Amino acid sequence: MQVPRYPRDMIGYGANPPDAQWPGGAKLAVQIVLNYEEGGENCILHGDAASEAFLSEIVGSAQWPGQRHWNMESIYEYGSRAGFWRLHRLMKDLPITVYGVATALARSPDQVAAMKSAGWEIASHGLKWVEHKDMSEEEERTQIAEAIQLHTEVVGERPRGWYTGRCSENTVRLVAEEGGFDYVADAYADDLPYWLQIEGGQDQLIVPYTLDCNDMRFATPQGFNSGDQFLSYLKDSFDALYEEGEAGSPKMLSIGLHCRLIGRPGRVMALKRFLDYARGYSDVWFATRQQIAQHWARLHSPHKASRPSQMEKAAFMTAFGGIFEHSDWIAERAFELELGPAHDTAGGLHNALSRIFRSATQEERLGVLLAHPDLAGKLAQAKRLTLESTSEQASAGLDALTDEERANFTDLNQKYSKKFGFPFIIAVRDHDKASIMQAFLRRIEHDRGTEFAEACRQVERIAEFRLRDVLPS
C-alpha cells in the first residue's frame, strides 16, 4: 500500500529566506508584467464555443455560447488599439516583461515591434487566453508546443519564460518537461523565486506572479474602484517589502497590468504616480522576469538536501531510526503519516516523530525513557553509548569529570532511578555541568507524574537536536 504523501509545499523558505543578493545591493526588485491578451481571448471567430467573460469592464458577465459578444470584443480591442500605446509611452524606458498570448501577438505585429524596440522581454502566455483546467494532458501539451512555435515565428525568438494564468494542475509540470524555459510563473506562493522539483527529479525555477498587486482587481468584485486605491495598494506593498530589504531580507515586488484595464485614462495616472514614487529610490532594481530568473539561477542553484518525505522506507529508517534512543518503532510509524515538504526540515520531521511518541501508550513511552543511558554512568565509562549520546554527553563536559563529580552523578543517578523507575534524562546541549547538576537536584524532588512528563519533554528536545544535525532547520 502506498504511504500517504502531501505534495503541497506549505513551508517554502520558512522563517529565514535566503539573501536575494540583488545587483548593486538593491533592497527590492520591482518586476512589472504587461499581459497582452487582446486577440487571444475566447471568441467564436477564434474557433471557441462562446464569447469571453473574464477581466473586462462588464463585471460578472457570462459567456454567450455560439454568439459574438460585440461589447466584450470592443473592450478587448481598446486594450490593443489605445491602452497598449498609452502604456508603451509610459514604460518604454523600463525593463518590463510582456506575457504575450501567442495568437494575440500574431494579430498585433505593430505592437510586437514596439515591445521589441523597447527591449521588453516577451514571455509566453500560452496559445490562447482560455481556461485549461478541463484539457487533457495531451491537448495541453500540444497547445504548449503550438504556442512556442507561433511565438517564435511572430517574435523572432522562442520564449524563455512561461505563464498560462488560467492553468490546469498539469501546467507547470508540462511546461517544465518541455525543457526550454528559464522560469515558469504559474504560482503565487512566495515573494522570491524558488526551485520546484518536478516528477522525475527535474528542477524548474519558479518566479511567482501576483494577483493582488494586479489591475485585474479593477474588473473583479471587491476589487479596486479607483486609481487611488490601486496606487495606495502598490505603495504599501512597495514600502513593506522595501522595509524588509533594509532589514537584510530583500524581496521581489511583482506588479500585473493589462492593456484594456490600467490603459484607461482614469487609471493610468495612478500607475504613473507609482512609477515616479518607486523610481525615486536609488537602491531598487527594476528588472524583467528573465533577468531575475538568470540572477537567481546563477547565485541560488537548486539545493539538493535530503528529503525525508521522498525517501523509501529503508533509507528513512537508516537515517532517522535512531533519533529517539533505541526506539526505531517511532520512525517506522512516522513513515506511515501524511508526510510532505513541510516535514523535510528538522522542525517538520521532529513534529511528525513527536506525534508518534506523544500518542504512544504509557508503557511504550516508558520504554523510550528506559532506553536512555544514565548521565556519566557505567555505559559511558565503558564507551558503550550510541554515537549520538557520546557526542551529547561530551558537549557538556560529562566525559571529563573529576572523581568527586563522577561520584555525585553516580549517587544521584541511583537515587533518581530508584524513585522514578527510569533514568534521569536531560538535553545536555542546553546545559553545562553546573546547570545539569542544578536540574538534577531540582527535579529529583518532583512527584513521578510531573517528572515523567518532564523526562518525555527532554526526550523530544534531544530528538530535535539530533535532527538539526542532519536536516535544515
Side-chain angles (χ1 to χ4, degrees), residues 290-443:
Q290 187 176 27
Q291 288 172 326
I292 288 173
Q294 291 172 341
H295 171 88
W296 202 265
R298 186 171 63 254
L299 296 183
H300 303 277
S301 57
H303 183 51
K304 298 295 185 181
S306 175
R307 300 180 65 190
S309 67
Q310 300 301 310
M311 288 180 175
E312 297 293 333
K313 186 173 183 178
F316 186 90
M317 293 303 299
T318 297
F320 308 114
I323 295 298
F324 281 72
E325 190 88 2
H326 295 299
S327 303
D328 58 1
W329 58 269
I330 293 178
E332 187 169 16
R333 294 182 195 176
F335 183 80
E336 303 298 325
L337 296 176
E338 184 195 73
L339 302 181
H343 299 99
D344 291 338
T345 66
L349 187 57
H350 180 258
N351 182 269
L353 295 171
S354 295
R355 283 175 57 190
I356 299 301
F357 178 59
R358 294 166 189 168
S359 63
T361 66
Q362 187 88 349
E363 290 74 21
E364 287 173 323
R365 284 185 289 155
L366 176 59
V368 175
L369 302 188
L370 292 171
H372 278 260
D374 289 333
L375 288 184
K378 294 180 180 179
L379 289 179
Q381 296 171 39
K383 300 188 183 304
R384 290 173 53 198
L385 298 179
T386 62
L387 290 176
E388 294 86 356
S389 290
T390 299
S391 174
E392 288 157 1
Q393 294 203 21
S395 71
L398 299 184
D399 61 339
L401 299 176
T402 65
D403 290 342
E404 182 181 358
E405 288 172 335
R406 185 175 293 106
N408 286 338
F409 271 108
T410 299
D411 180 58
L412 284 170
N413 278 326
Q414 291 173 348
K415 291 179 178 177
Y416 183 97
S417 296
K418 182 178 180 180
K419 179 175 181 179
F420 298 116
F422 50 83
F424 177 76
I425 301 170
I426 192 169
V428 295
R429 291 200 221 179
D430 283 326
H431 299 274
D432 56 22
K433 282 190 294 186
S435 63
I436 290 172
M437 182 61 71
Q438 290 171 359
F440 222 147
L441 294 171
R442 182 184 73 256
R443 286 171 51 186

Side-chain angles (χ1 to χ4, degrees), residues 14-303:
N16 300 295
D19 181 356
Q21 301 179 59
W22 299 134
K27 296 181 175 63
L28 176 62
V30 175
Q31 206 297 296
I32 299 170
V33 165
L34 180 61
N35 292 272
Y36 197 87
E37 300 154 351
E38 290 78 8
E41 78 278 13
N42 282 287
C43 178
I44 64 169
L45 294 178
H46 305 160
D48 301 306
S51 62
E52 186 56 70
F54 191 46
L55 293 189
S56 80
E57 302 300 323
I58 311 173
V59 179
S61 63
Q63 287 189 316
W64 291 4
Q67 296 184 59
R68 292 178 65 185
H69 193 318
W70 189 267
N71 291 345
M72 182 66 72
E73 290 178 21
S74 65
I75 287 171
Y76 269 75
E77 289 161 13
Y78 183 91
S80 61
R81 292 164 56 115
F84 170 81
W85 298 108
R86 183 170 289 120
L87 295 172
H88 183 266
R89 289 191 295 271
L90 177 63
M91 299 190 294
K92 63 184 178 182
D93 62 337
L94 282 173
I96 75 171
T97 293
V98 176
Y99 286 164
V101 174
T103 50
L105 297 176
R107 295 183 173 111
S108 300
D110 284 352
Q111 291 89 333
V112 171
M115 296 171 194
K116 294 176 67 176
S117 177
W120 292 351
E121 175 203 359
I122 308 178
S124 182
H125 200 4
L127 181 66
K128 300 172 70 174
W129 176 232
V130 297
E131 291 287 355
H132 293 71
K133 64 182 178 64
D134 297 320
M135 286 186 186
S136 67
E137 282 195 36
E138 192 54 42
E139 181 182 3
E140 188 172 4
R141 185 180 288 109
T142 298
Q143 290 213 3
I144 290 169
E146 291 179 2
I148 296 169
Q149 179 179 346
L150 181 57
H151 183 111
T152 304
E153 293 171 1
V154 171
V155 177
E157 58 184 359
R158 70 155 286 155
R160 305 302 303 182
W162 182 278
Y163 176 73
T164 295
R166 299 159 85 170
C167 65
S168 75
E169 64 176 299
N170 302 313
T171 298
V172 173
R173 173 173 54 82
L174 293 174
V175 174
E177 288 174 358
E178 194 278 335
F181 290 95
D182 294 340
Y183 69 89
V184 178
D186 277 295
Y188 314 94
D190 214 298
D191 298 310
L192 287 173
Y194 60 91
W195 293 96
L196 180 66
Q197 192 171 89
I198 308 299
E199 293 175 21
Q202 175 186 354
D203 292 303
Q204 175 63 59
L205 183 62
I206 305 296
V207 181
Y209 188 43
T210 177
L211 295 182
D212 67 314
C213 292
N214 195 310
D215 67 356
M216 67 175 287
R217 294 182 61 194
F218 283 114
T220 59
Q222 290 296 100
F224 302 125
N225 291 316
S226 69
D228 285 344
Q229 291 177 342
F230 187 46
L231 172 61
S232 177
Y233 195 88
L234 291 183
K235 286 182 66 176
D236 282 348
S237 299
F238 180 98
D239 290 345
L241 294 175
Y242 184 86
E243 186 176 293
E244 291 181 17
E246 285 191 305
S249 184
K251 301 295 195 314
M252 175 182 73
L253 172 63
S254 287
I255 299 171
L257 307 173
H258 298 76
C259 301
R260 63 192 176 277
L261 297 177
I262 199 66
R264 293 281 178 176
R267 297 174 183 142
V268 74
M269 294 307 292
L271 176 61
K272 181 180 185 301
R273 285 193 287 272
F274 171 75
L275 293 176
D276 290 342
Y277 177 76
R279 285 194 281 195
Y281 288 76
S282 61
D283 50 0
V284 169
W285 181 40
F286 285 84
T288 67
R289 295 182 90 75
Q290 187 176 27
Q291 288 172 326
I292 288 173
Q294 291 172 341
H295 171 88
W296 202 265
R298 186 171 63 254
L299 296 183
H300 303 277
S301 57
H303 183 51

